Amino acid sequence: MLFNSYVFIAFFLPVALAGFFASARLGRASAAAWLVMASLVFYAWWNPAFLPILIASILINYGMSEIVAKSGHRPALQSALLALAVGLNLLALFYYKYFFEVAKFLTQGVGFEVHADPILLPLGISFFTFTQIGYLIDVKQGVAKERGFLNYVLFVTFFPHLIAGPILHHREMMPQFAEKLTYRFSLINFSVGLTIFVMGLFKKTVLADPLGGDITAGFNMPGDLSFFGAWWVAIRYSMQLYFDFSGYSDMAIGLACMFNVRFPLNFNSPFKSQNIIEYWQRWHMTLTRYLNQYLYNPMALAVVRWRSEHGFGTKRANQKTLGGFLSMTALPTLMTMALIGLWHGAGFQFLLFGLLHGVYLTINHAVRIFRGAAPENPSPRAARLSRILNIAATYIAVVVGLVLFRSRSLEGAITMYQSMLGLHGFAFSIGKAEIIWVLVLATIIWGCPNVQQIMGKFGPALTKVEAFSKRLPLIWRADASWACAVGVMLAISLMAMGGTSEFMYFQF
Amino acid sequence: MLAQDDIGRKALLSYLATFLVCVAVVLGISWLYTSTQRSRFMETGYAVWDAKRTMVSNCDVGQVAVFGDSRADSALIPDRLKKVATNLAVAGGTPIENFFFVKSVLACESKPAIVMLSFNPGAFEIIQPWLWDNSVGYGALGWQEVSEIRHEAERLKDASYLAVTPKLGIDGIFRDAAYSHGFPGIYFNSLLESRLMGKTAMNRQKFDEVVMARGYPSYRRVAQVAGAGATKVQETARFTPLPIQQSYFEATLALLDRAGITTYFLITPYNTTNVNTHNQPYNAAYMAYLHRLDAKYPRFQLLQSKPPVWEQAMFVDGAHLSQEGANVFSRLLDRCIEGAAENANLGGGCNFDHPDQSAKVVELLVAKAKK
């Protein structure tokens, strides 16, 4: 079921909400059970055949987590059990997400015949698998304290995050599900949640979806695009993805809020970033956090240990040496980013997308480490100019990377890059109305506060964001002007919803 | 739980109430605009429909009324017929909606002497989303009609009807309710594309053109869509009409029969490049189905014994005749009808593929048209 569908807005959400708070009168367990059932219906709506996969994944992971927890007195066995559990998760993920593509590559590329039929990807498998792997690791490390079965199932299946994130951490969710107040209807949470949901819906249906048509055509035939056409398509795609993911993230936070639950922030105006490090701290924030916690940090730590054991320095000064930088910064960064790329899909273009960002990040780190501090007290004008240039450079780097992300194949991406370099001519055929619309979108991206900044006073997400501007204090209030503005947004979104597409991150 | 709870309950209730009122007001205004001002923002296809519907509501259909799908819509130029004719075929038309159009025409005092029905075989086999996007969305069919169709589908246990998902993305009874009551979401893309009212002049011009041409909208050649309009039929496919389409087609024939109107079934030319053309068993089954109906309804006759096959040059795409092709076809049809008037019963005698009657005539007419 899509958040941006009539059936969700008109039937599922009201029934889920009413049932949750009504059943809460019978006790927390019944309310949690209701929400689990509602979430399973939500998941099964698209394709009921995938429901057993989700249920099996939950049962196996919960069972394994309990065994891992109870084997704490035998650390070697515990580690082996954890490895087995994580391995099973990764195997399932590999089978559904990568097996067909790998088999195709082996058969067509290497000549080693492996028979495989295309496998339909269960919705949200990357998200619920990663969530549960994180839980398993934390159970092993003794970090997971709240381990009740019902709360665990609710933590994994809670429908606002089930299909496309954010990737939740049990430490931030399980206590909320154990909290009494979560089960009591709150008018302010409902109002704030509804407002955020509507803003997200508007971004998705009115700002993101109408950009789609030309983008698909452009990426299908990149060789037909001129220099301007190719950049135009790439920029429009970056905006479509931006508003799609931003809209989804807002809707997820808004929905959770209606149920008195707060999610971590997943999207924080990433195109306002002044460098790539900052970009990844603002884009798909929970994936970055997850991979930092469970991949980058352990890897970096292992390198430090290795260097220490082999007599190499591990201090900040050692990071400024070429060997120190390459082993302690570049290697973990590149490996983590390659995996982020592959997390999005099995094609080579995704691997290259990750590696390209790995290179960006490595350069960014190198500049920070080797160049030293920026000049102090620049004039306000110079600071503003530098800020604008940094944002522009970061955005262009992101757009270049997104070509790999969106292209149907590596060949398609290369052809698109050729067009972007002007190898297929410089014809200009962009309509005035299209330019105006993209300028409007650009103003929203770079010139307006984001939803969290507008609603931040009410703490709808677990992560705080800094205020947008003192000169433009656009803060939500429960008054008539805001009610009308949000009402108009919902009315337009309801009209624009017909035939809108699924969220782009659903495919991952 | 939110940290801040400094807004009173009254303020929040007032916020939610104002919010709902604003949603209702914007939807209401949009609803009013989209139901009454469609020609200002709809694509030109709407103007074509509107023109045909206006002719029907004015009971201005002449002696020969043609009903059918887009192939018939593109193939018949009423002016080329000696009798006063009207082309009431519509893009995406199937027997279902045409039953209601025929019903409206028969409600007129002056009824046509001849009715021609023309559907490609695919029109019997599926229910197109266009039934809602066009027929219902354009206002030709209302809640009463779609409810009747739904009940008929339920009676026939034909699940295909309820499963169709048109542009709005919903199915079943909610789809019927939304479309028949003109929910403004149906028109959102058109509103956006026309920037609310940018199609007024274009639609007025198209409306006038179609009324002047007695229902014929000129089809323009479209680049890179050679297969457009052709229902994809695999070589192994069998002709399998849907119960609901059969039911409405027979209901139409029964209606016309009771009204004492001679009814011809007309097969518009197939394109040589179209895969459907070469599936002989499929076409034979289609003809057998029509022959069965020919035998069942005394006033219903097939004009041809087999589908005519014409060269690609006469089409704008894979299925629709160009103006030139329509010109030729309409003249051949005129001869056929005039012959029918003389012989009373053609018995499938108008074979447009027959060398004497078709190829040479086509050749001559093409030459004439080019002059």
Side-chain angles (χ1 to χ4, degrees):
Chain A
M1 201 182 293
L2 298 172
F3 294 162
N4 55 322
S5 65
Y6 294 109
V7 68
F8 179 84
I9 292 172
F11 298 99
F12 180 84
L13 183 58
V15 170
L17 269 170
F20 176 69
F21 291 112
S23 56
R25 293 178 178 212
L26 303 172
R28 269 184 277 168
S30 51
W34 168 268
L35 205 46
V36 167
M37 289 307 293
S39 298
L40 294 179
V41 169
F42 171 85
Y43 185 78
W45 195 268
W46 180 63
N47 191 342
F50 293 145
L51 190 58
I53 296 169
L54 174 66
I55 292 172
S57 170
I58 291 170
L59 293 177
I60 292 169
N61 276 301
Y62 185 73
M64 288 301 291
S65 73
E66 284 302 290
I67 297 170
V68 167
K70 281 170 186 154
S71 58
H73 56 288
R74 294 173 65 187
L77 176 68
Q78 197 186 31
S79 299
L81 285 168
L82 175 70
L84 174 69
V86 173
L88 283 174
N89 275 296
L90 294 178
L91 199 66
L93 193 61
F94 173 81
Y95 174 74
Y96 284 108
K97 203 163 173 175
Y98 304 105
F99 179 62
F100 176 69
E101 286 297 327
V102 171
K104 200 167 80 175
F105 171 72
L106 288 174
T107 307
Q108 293 173 1
V110 185
F112 182 76
E113 197 158 323
V114 179
H115 176 75
D117 294 319
I119 303 160
L120 207 55
L121 185 71
L123 215 54
I125 189 168
S126 308
F127 291 96
F128 66 71
T129 303
F130 272 39
T131 303
Q132 294 184 101
I133 289 176
Y135 178 75
L136 283 164
I137 294 170
D138 286 350
V139 166
K140 195 250 171 191
Q141 290 174 349
V143 182
K145 301 290 179 209
E146 168 63 56
R147 301 208 318 268
F149 178 67
L150 194 56
N151 282 353
Y152 175 79
V153 180
L154 190 53
F155 155 63
V156 177
T157 61
F158 187 39
F159 73 87
H161 81 93
L162 179 59
I163 292 175
I167 299 171
L168 301 178
H169 197 284
H170 66 93
R171 261 182 305 185
E172 59 202 8
M173 297 312 296
M174 302 284 258
Q176 293 194 66
F177 291 130
E179 173 66 50
K180 253 187 198 174
L181 282 175
T182 302
Y183 300 87
R184 197 178 297 161
F185 180 74
S186 156
L187 199 56
I188 185 161
N189 286 358
F190 177 76
S191 307
V192 168
L194 179 69
T195 303
I196 296 175
F197 177 80
V198 170
M199 288 176 177
L201 183 67
F202 186 81
K203 283 184 192 172
K204 165 68 179 161
T205 56
V206 180
L207 305 184
D209 281 345
L211 288 168
D214 293 352
I215 295 166
T216 306
F219 277 99
N220 282 348
M221 286 184 285
D224 292 353
L225 297 171
S226 69
F227 171 83
F228 294 108
W231 275 100
W232 185 245
V233 166
I235 286 170
R236 278 168 64 105
Y237 174 64
S238 73
M239 291 184 168
Q240 186 196 18
L241 185 64
Y242 179 96
F243 285 112
D244 187 279
F245 195 31
S246 169
Y248 171 82
S249 301
D250 288 340
M251 289 162 89
I253 286 174
L255 288 168
C257 197
M258 288 187 223
F259 287 90
N260 299 325
V261 171
R262 285 192 293 169
F263 275 174
L265 205 56
N266 210 22
F267 194 93
N268 183 20
S269 300
F271 287 174
K272 285 176 185 162
S273 306
Q274 294 191 56
N275 55 60
I276 293 288
I277 296 172
E278 190 188 346
Y279 172 78
W280 280 101
Q281 286 163 351
R282 286 165 167 263
W283 175 274
H284 212 326
M285 296 156 72
T286 55
L287 177 66
T288 309
R289 178 184 72 170
Y290 183 92
L291 291 175
N292 262 335
Q293 190 174 348
Y294 297 112
L295 198 66
Y296 181 88
N297 290 345
M299 225 186 308
L301 201 64
V303 171
V304 168
R305 274 191 198 136
W306 183 89
R307 283 179 65 90
S308 180
E309 283 164 12
H310 290 79
F312 296 105
T314 57
K315 299 219 166 82
R316 196 170 284 268
N318 301 108
Q319 234 179 1
K320 287 195 173 184
T321 63
L322 185 63
F325 175 76
L326 288 177
S327 61
M328 288 194 283
T329 307
L331 181 71
T333 302
L334 286 168
M335 286 186 74
T336 305
M337 293 313 292
L339 282 168
I340 282 193
L342 285 176
W343 181 84
H344 288 97
F348 272 110
Q349 70 272 29
F350 289 112
L351 177 65
L352 285 179
F353 164 76
L355 284 172
L356 179 66
H357 272 274
V359 171
Y360 287 163
L361 284 168
T362 305
I363 293 169
N364 203 163
H365 281 300
V367 170
R368 278 188 173 188
I369 291 168
F370 295 109
R371 192 189 66 178
E376 277 178 27
N377 301 326
S379 69
R381 201 172 160 192
R384 199 180 308 135
L385 184 67
S386 154
R387 189 167 166 265
I388 290 169
L389 289 176
N390 286 341
I391 290 173
T394 307
Y395 175 65
I396 289 167
V398 168
V399 169
V400 168
L402 283 177
V403 169
L404 284 163
F405 192 78
R406 175 62 177 80
S407 292
R408 292 159 62 125
S409 63
L410 189 55
E411 293 76 21
I414 292 168
T415 313
M416 190 69 171
Y417 285 134
Q418 288 172 341
S419 296
M420 287 167 87
L421 287 170
L423 300 182
H424 300 126
F426 288 84
F428 185 89
S429 58
I430 303 164
K432 249 189 217 166
E434 286 177 309
I435 293 173
I436 292 169
W437 182 237
V438 165
L439 287 175
V440 169
L441 296 180
T443 308
I444 296 171
I445 292 171
W446 285 288
C448 294
N450 64 34
V451 170
Q452 291 305 315
Q453 287 165 326
I454 293 169
M455 306 298 295
K457 185 183 165 194
F458 302 93
L462 290 168
T463 325
K464 296 272 179 218
V465 293
E466 59 183 44
F468 175 67
S469 158
K470 281 178 187 163
R471 279 184 297 174
L472 186 61
L474 206 58
I475 307 292
W476 177 82
R477 292 181 308 276
D479 62 14
S481 55
W482 273 101
C484 266
V486 178
V488 169
M489 284 168 98
L490 178 61
I492 295 174
S493 302
L494 286 175
M495 288 192 279
M497 253 163 57
T500 57
S501 57
E502 64 182 34
F503 292 95
M504 290 171 157
Y505 263 77
F506 275 22
Q507 62 186 299
F508 307 129
Chain B
M1 284 85 20
L2 301 185
Q4 192 86 8
D5 202 346
D6 59 356
I7 304 173
R9 186 179 164 77
K10 205 174 159 190
L12 287 168
L13 287 174
S14 158
Y15 172 80
L16 291 173
T18 315
F19 164 79
L20 286 176
V21 168
C22 285
V23 173
V25 167
V26 175
L27 277 179
I29 292 170
S30 310
W31 215 308
L32 192 68
Y33 182 71
T34 53
S35 337
T36 57
Q37 304 295 321
R38 285 179 192 155
S39 60
R40 290 184 184 276
F41 61 86
M42 293 294 279
E43 58 278 12
T44 48
Y46 170 76
V48 175
W49 270 73
D50 198 24
K52 296 190 185 210
R53 205 175 44 178
T54 305
M55 287 190 281
V56 172
S57 56
N58 291 343
C59 291
D60 175 22
V61 295
Q63 296 162 284
V64 180
V66 181
F67 298 90
D69 55 22
S70 59
R71 295 187 189 206
D73 188 36
S74 72
L76 265 142
I77 304 178
D79 289 351
R80 301 292 177 269
L81 270 58
K82 289 190 185 74
K83 292 186 168 56
V84 178
T86 319
N87 183 342
L88 298 171
V90 290
T94 68
I96 295 177
E97 55 267 71
N98 276 280
F99 165 79
F100 294 99
F101 303 157
V102 168
K103 207 172 158 185
S104 305
V105 167
L106 294 187
C108 293
E109 246 179 64
S110 60
K111 296 176 179 56
I114 296 171
V115 161
M116 291 210 176
L117 301 174
S118 176
F119 298 101
N120 79 86
F124 290 94
E125 294 182 297
I126 50 169
I127 297 178
Q128 299 277 10
W130 296 316
L131 175 62
W132 292 271
D133 289 323
N134 293 356
S135 306
V136 190
Y138 287 171
L141 302 185
W143 172 246
Q144 200 181 327
E145 284 83 13
V146 286
S147 300
E148 187 186 317
I149 302 167
R150 194 174 56 253
H151 293 145
E152 180 66 2
E154 282 162 2
R155 187 185 69 79
L156 295 166
K157 296 187 172 62
D158 189 335
S160 56
Y161 177 81
L162 286 174
V164 182
T165 307
K167 268 194 287 198
L168 201 55
I170 48 174
D171 55 18
I173 192 167
F174 299 109
R175 167 204 63 199
D176 289 355
Y179 272 86
S180 59
H181 293 101
F183 177 65
I186 302 163
Y187 312 104
F188 185 77
N189 286 337
S190 304
L191 284 167
L192 211 62
E193 208 177 293
S194 67
R195 280 160 227 147
L196 298 183
M197 53 174 70
K199 297 274 176 77
T200 314
M202 199 190 292
N203 276 337
R204 192 173 297 146
Q205 191 189 343
K206 190 72 186 174
F207 178 91
D208 292 343
E209 267 175 36
V210 175
V211 170
M212 285 284 287
R214 298 204 60 80
Y216 172 73
S218 175
Y219 273 60
R220 290 191 175 82
R221 195 175 296 276
V222 186
Q224 297 175 333
V225 284
T231 312
K232 291 274 188 299
V233 177
Q234 299 301 316
E235 282 178 24
T236 51
R238 298 159 67 105
F239 176 66
T240 44
L242 289 177
I244 183 84
Q245 296 287 12
Q246 291 187 70
S247 170
Y248 273 98
F249 190 59
E250 291 209 33
T252 309
L253 297 182
L255 204 64
L256 290 162
D257 209 47
R258 279 200 300 276
I261 294 171
T262 305
T263 308
Y264 295 127
F265 193 87
L266 175 68
I267 306 173
T268 57
Y270 281 26
N271 187 319
T272 46
T273 62
N274 192 330
V275 66
N276 304 12
T277 308
H278 308 292
N279 187 336
Q280 296 306 332
Y282 179 87
N283 289 321
Y286 169 53
M287 293 308 296
Y289 167 69
L290 294 172
H291 278 297
R292 276 199 300 277
L293 296 176
D294 187 336
K296 190 172 170 184
Y297 296 94
R299 292 179 195 280
F300 177 60
Q301 292 177 44
L302 301 188
L303 274 185
Q304 303 122 299
S305 56
K306 59 174 184 165
V309 179
W310 286 17
E311 291 300 325
Q312 168 67 40
M314 302 300 250
F315 294 82
V316 292
D317 54 24
H320 302 103
L321 287 177
S322 63
Q323 193 156 4
E324 195 178 69
N327 211 357
V328 173
F329 185 74
S330 304
R331 285 182 194 279
L332 287 171
L333 180 67
D334 184 49
R335 287 181 174 211
C336 187
I337 295 172
E338 294 305 315
E342 285 166 23
N343 303 328
N345 191 337
L346 280 167
C350 287
N351 188 344
F352 292 113
D353 265 354
H354 192 278
D356 298 333
Q357 204 176 0
S358 178
K360 283 182 188 168
V361 180
V362 168
E363 212 172 285
L364 284 171
L365 288 170
V366 168
K368 201 174 169 186
K370 277 181 181 167
K371 274 181 193 171

